[in-house]
Amino acid sequence: MDLLNTLVDKGLRRESPTREEALAVLATSDDDLLDVVAAAGKVRRHWFGRRVKLNYLVNLKSGLCPEDCSYCSQRLGSKAGILKYTWLKPGEASEAAAAGVAGGAKRVCLVASGRGPTERDVDRVSETIRTIKEQNEDVEVCACLGLLSDGQAERLREAGADAYNHNLNTSESTYGDITTTHTYADRVDTVNKAHAAGLSACSGLIAGMGESDEDLVDVVFSLRELDPDSVPVNFLIPFEGTPLAKEWNLTPQRCLRILAMVRFVCPDVEVRIAGGREVHLRTMQPLALHLANSIFLGDYLTSEGQAGKADLDMIADAGFEVEGAGETTLPEHRVADRGGCGSHEGGGACGSAPAEDGGTCGSAPVTEAPADGARTDLVTVRRRGAGTDLAPNA
C-alpha cells in the first residue's frame, strides 16, 4: 500500500504526515489492519526497539473533584461508585509506589483529582516526591495535579519531579462539549508551564468520547506541535454515573488504527497505552505493543486493570522486553534537544540535565457505528491498592 510505505519513510525521517494521510490511516479497513500495524511497527522499532516502558499510577486523592469533565468518574456530580478519599500521606504514597517499582515500573505517576493544586498541595506532593526518591533512587516521578499556577512547576522540579502530565484529551473545537469548568487553552498553558520549568511534558488524549476522525487527528497534531516527550492514549471507560456512560464506540480494530495514527504523527515520542486497554483492546493488546512503547502496569485511578503478572507475561510472550531503569527511553536526538528528560540513564531529574497520565474523565459525529461487541462487564471499579487496606495490583 503506497500510503503505508510513505508513512514509514516519513516516520523514519521524523517527518510529519499530512492531515489527509493521518485520516486515511483511521479510514483503513479491517482487511488492511495487519498491514497498518506492521508499517507503524517499523517506525516504533526504529526509534524504540522492542523495549516496553512500564509506568505505575498512584491516586493520591480520589473523587470529590469540582470540575465537570464528562469522561471522568471523579467529576462534579458523578454517581459512579468509586473509592473516595483525601490525600495519602507521603509514606502511604511511597509504599504504593514501591509496589509498582517492585513489579518492574520505571516511572511512578502521582495523580490527584481537582482543578489544580494549592500551594499547600504542592508542599505535600513535593514531600511525597522526596520520600519516594529517597526510597527508590532510580525511579522517575511524574506529577499530574491539574492546572498549574505560576511557579508551581518549578517547585515540583526542585522537589525531584521528572515529568508533569496534563492531557489535551480532545480537539479544541469540541472541548467545550466535554468540559465547561476550564478551557482547552488552560490545558495548553499548563503543558507549556511544565516545559518551561524543565520538566518532561506528558500530554495525550482520550478516544471513544463520540469524536470524529477529524477530532482525533486535530488533537494529535496539536500534541505534535506542543512536543511532549510522552503521549498517553486513553480509551474511554464509560463509567455508569457519568455523562458518557453510553458511549461504547470503540472496537479493538479501531483502537489499533488510532494507536497507529498516533505513532505515525509522533514517530519518536513515547506513545503509552493508557486507561481502557483491557476493556477495548482485550485480546488484541499484544498487537498494540507493536505500536506503543509504553504501558501502565496494573490498575488505573478508579478502575482495575489486568493482573500485573499478566502484563509482564504479555510483554514477554509478544517478544518484547521490559525497559530497565538504566536505559534511556527517548532517542538520542530528543535527549540532546531537551538537554535530558524524563527517562535518562541513572535516573537523574530532568531539570538537572537540561511523562502521564492515565492515566486515566451535542458531540461531534461518530464515524463508526457503536460497537456491537461492547464489553461492559470488563469495567471494574478499583477496590484495592491506594486508599484501601488491600494489596495493590502490580
Side-chain angles (χ1 to χ4, degrees), residues 281-305:
L281 279 163
R282 303 192 289 274
T283 58
M284 302 284 270
Q285 290 181 70
L287 273 182
L289 295 177
H290 291 271
L291 308 170
N293 62 295
S294 180
I295 67 170
F296 280 109
L297 176 74
D299 293 336
Y300 303 97
L301 298 177
T302 61
S303 65
E304 293 186 356

Side-chain angles (χ1 to χ4, degrees), residues 71-89:
Y71 50 81
C72 186
S73 60
Q74 304 184 78
R75 76 188 298 272
L76 177 70
S78 170
K79 294 179 172 57
I82 62 169
L83 290 170
K84 295 179 181 179
Y85 54 86
T86 191
W87 290 92
L88 297 181
K89 296 178 181 177

Side-chain angles (χ1 to χ4, degrees), residues 302-313:
T302 61
S303 65
E304 293 186 356
Q306 69 185 21
K309 185 178 185 304
D311 288 336
L312 298 177
D313 288 344

Side-chain angles (χ1 to χ4, degrees), residues 28-72:
T28 53
S29 70
D30 287 352
D31 288 341
D32 293 325
L33 182 62
L34 289 181
D35 292 330
V36 172
V37 172
K42 290 180 181 178
V43 178
R44 180 252 201 264
R45 288 191 301 277
H46 177 80
W47 296 114
F48 299 97
R50 302 190 74 85
R51 293 174 287 113
V52 178
K53 180 178 180 178
L54 298 182
N55 309 267
Y56 191 72
L57 284 164
V58 177
N59 201 1
L60 295 177
K61 59 189 286 279
S62 183
L64 312 174
C65 184
E67 301 298 286
D68 69 354
C69 307
S70 298
Y71 50 81
C72 186

Side-chain angles (χ1 to χ4, degrees), residues 79-375:
K79 294 179 172 57
I82 62 169
L83 290 170
K84 295 179 181 179
Y85 54 86
T86 191
W87 290 92
L88 297 181
K89 296 178 181 177
E92 294 171 326
S94 183
E95 184 177 353
V101 174
K106 181 176 179 176
R107 172 175 287 190
V108 171
C109 304
L110 302 176
V111 187
S113 60
R115 178 179 179 84
T118 64
E119 295 308 303
R120 182 184 177 189
D121 293 337
V122 174
D123 286 340
R124 95 171 82 221
V125 174
S126 294
E127 184 180 353
T128 297
I129 293 169
R130 285 189 286 266
T131 302
I132 290 173
K133 290 277 191 172
E134 287 171 1
Q135 298 179 8
N136 303 276
E137 183 178 355
D138 292 334
V139 72
E140 300 169 16
V141 176
C142 178
C144 177
L145 312 174
L147 301 173
L148 292 174
S149 300
D150 290 344
Q152 291 183 329
E154 287 78 4
R155 290 181 60 198
L156 292 168
R157 174 192 166 192
E158 289 168 3
D162 299 283
Y164 195 84
N165 166 260
H166 200 61
N167 296 329
L168 296 187
N169 289 331
T170 193
S171 68
E172 183 174 11
S173 63
T174 59
Y175 195 83
D177 296 331
I178 299 298
T179 304
T180 66
T181 47
H182 60 267
T183 67
Y184 182 89
D186 291 332
R187 288 188 169 267
V188 170
D189 178 65
T190 286
V191 177
N192 286 332
K193 280 184 168 68
H195 263 317
L199 292 168
S200 176
C202 173
S203 187
L205 65 139
I206 304 173
M209 298 191 290
E211 70 282 338
S212 67
D213 284 1
E214 287 76 11
D215 290 320
L216 285 171
V217 170
D218 281 350
V219 69
V220 176
F221 271 78
S222 294
L223 288 166
R224 180 181 170 105
E225 186 174 347
L226 279 177
D227 196 28
D229 291 321
S230 177
V231 175
V233 180
N234 293 276
F235 301 109
L236 176 71
I237 302 176
F239 270 96
E240 289 297 329
T242 66
L244 298 183
K246 305 304 180 186
E247 292 286 346
W248 288 91
N249 304 309
L250 297 171
T251 64
Q253 293 80 9
R254 180 159 175 79
C255 292
L256 290 170
R257 283 191 284 270
I258 291 168
L259 287 168
M261 185 269 288
V262 175
R263 174 56 71 201
F264 286 130
V265 177
C266 305
D268 59 341
V269 169
E270 176 191 341
V271 175
R272 184 182 312 161
I273 316 171
R277 65 177 164 93
E278 297 89 345
V279 176
H280 297 294
L281 279 163
R282 303 192 289 274
T283 58
M284 302 284 270
Q285 290 181 70
L287 273 182
L289 295 177
H290 291 271
L291 308 170
N293 62 295
S294 180
I295 67 170
F296 280 109
L297 176 74
D299 293 336
Y300 303 97
L301 298 177
T302 61
S303 65
E304 293 186 356
Q306 69 185 21
K309 185 178 185 304
D311 288 336
L312 298 177
D313 288 344
M314 175 182 71
I315 291 168
D317 290 347
F320 292 87
E321 59 186 23
V322 173
E323 183 174 289
E327 295 181 280
T328 303
T329 300
L330 297 174
E332 290 183 5
H333 63 270
R334 289 192 67 87
V335 176
D337 289 346
R338 291 277 186 264
C341 68
S343 303
H344 31 264
E345 197 165 350
C350 294
S352 65
E356 185 274 342
D357 333 308
T360 62
C361 332
S363 59
V366 179
T367 58
E368 296 187 12
D372 293 332
R375 291 291 305 276

